[in-house]
Amino acid sequence: MYLIKTKRSPFYQIAYLNDLGKKTSISTGKKTKADALKFLSEFKSELKLESENKSIPILLSDFRVEYLDLVRHKLSAKYVKSIEVTFYQFEAYAGKIFLADIDFRKAEKFINSVYENSKFMAAANYRILKSAFSTAVDWNYIIINPFKKFKLPKLPKSLPVFINPKQLQLIVDKTKYPIMKDIFLTAFHSGLRLSELLNLRWNMMDFENKIITLKQSENFTTKSKRERIIPMNETLLNKFVDIFLAQKNKNIDSFVFSKGKQIPINADWVSKCFKRAVRAAKLDESFHFHTLRHSFASNLIQSGVSIFVVKELLGHADISTTQIYSHIQSKNLTDAVLKLDP
């Protein structure tokens, strides 16, 4: 790119190659070289900005493949599956379309269509696509993230239910399989997620110091992608010792909970067994396996444990996730003040 002066015009011209590689020129509208050089500098800046703002064309379906390949190495298999399902739903709605042709109206209409059937599914889709399209901006596939141009409709707030020790005993009593009794008890006293429980191995146990260290492996990663330590109370310690002594042909890499010959337990089977026991005990239908994790957190909060400590025990990446238990903490504070009444 350079300045030229021809006899056909009193103004300096800028000679340069266009996007097709063809030589072309544009008039500066300036007669003096100093003014023309200033125009040339501004023209270069405009071309650079235009180049930076020019997105790379890619189909939504092709972006899905590329994005899933990225997150598959960073997130849990279960969450990657939910991302894949969300993309398929969006593709079914939007059709064969280039990423750059998806404006905020189309994005918002999709989320609203899901919201009509399931408010919480809409929230999940919104979070997933908002994050994915931010990556698309970073990869220069789009200029603006359309999912950042509107807000998700408000969701109904429901406080987590939790189980007390007496209810847990009722559930355990109605449970047919001994291994399920042990899993339910462990979840209640550790706050471990179901996937974490089913991937628990003896090499994560430190009986002397009474701690569990959740470790990453080639076949398993925690949701937060980091190790965490959970202390064992006496109930949990004694339970693990009993299981360890009763388990045959074990080694340090063996699963704590497994079928014969170290066959992993199916998560759906655990959830169904728990629900079946809840119904047999005639307890609240809203109780599900994850309620045991809520119960661990809720019981700690009611005992006066700091919500920041509970955050670390649960392995939450953000304190805002743990804030769902703050209503229990507030109740404790209220009860404490009321004790001052004569």
Side-chain angles (χ1 to χ4, degrees), residues 179 247 255-265:
I179 195 169
Q247 199 174 88
F255 288 114
V256 175
F257 304 109
S258 68
K259 297 180 182 179
K261 297 182 180 180
Q262 285 294 297
I263 299 172
I265 294 175

Side-chain angles (χ1 to χ4, degrees), residues 284-316:
D284 194 330
E285 274 289 324
S286 64
F287 288 169
H288 47 81
F289 186 85
H290 201 71
T291 305
L292 294 170
R293 181 170 159 85
H294 287 317
S295 305
F296 173 76
S298 301
N299 290 330
L300 287 176
I301 293 291
Q302 288 185 96
S303 299
V305 177
S306 164
I307 200 164
F308 294 97
V309 173
V310 174
K311 168 188 174 294
E312 293 303 314
L313 290 171
L314 292 178
H316 287 161

Side-chain angles (χ1 to χ4, degrees), residues 206-333:
D206 183 346
F207 291 145
E208 184 178 350
N209 294 304
K210 301 179 183 179
I211 59 172
I212 303 167
T213 302
L214 281 183
K215 299 177 182 178
Q216 314 294 313
S217 69
E218 186 177 338
N219 300 316
F220 170 72
T221 55
T222 60
K223 189 175 180 180
S224 61
K225 296 291 179 180
R226 62 187 178 91
E227 293 186 358
R228 79 175 189 275
I229 292 175
I230 300 100
M232 290 185 266
N233 59 17
E234 289 300 319
T235 302
L236 199 54
L237 176 64
N238 293 334
K239 175 53 64 178
F240 281 140
V241 169
D242 290 343
I243 297 171
F244 183 80
L245 294 175
Q247 199 174 88
K248 298 177 181 178
N249 302 320
K250 59 181 173 291
N251 57 59
I252 60 170
D253 294 323
S254 298
F255 288 114
V256 175
F257 304 109
S258 68
K259 297 180 182 179
K261 297 182 180 180
Q262 285 294 297
I263 299 172
I265 294 175
N266 183 276
D268 287 339
W269 182 46
V270 177
S271 296
K272 288 176 181 177
C273 285
F274 183 81
K275 198 66 179 180
R276 197 176 297 125
V278 167
R279 287 171 178 160
K282 297 181 180 179
L283 295 174
D284 194 330
E285 274 289 324
S286 64
F287 288 169
H288 47 81
F289 186 85
H290 201 71
T291 305
L292 294 170
R293 181 170 159 85
H294 287 317
S295 305
F296 173 76
S298 301
N299 290 330
L300 287 176
I301 293 291
Q302 288 185 96
S303 299
V305 177
S306 164
I307 200 164
F308 294 97
V309 173
V310 174
K311 168 188 174 294
E312 293 303 314
L313 290 171
L314 292 178
H316 287 161
D318 195 318
I319 189 64
S320 62
T321 309
T322 324
Q323 290 290 350
I324 59 172
Y325 305 106
S326 60
H327 71 288
I328 301 171
Q329 195 173 44
S330 299
K331 184 180 183 302
N332 286 350
L333 294 174

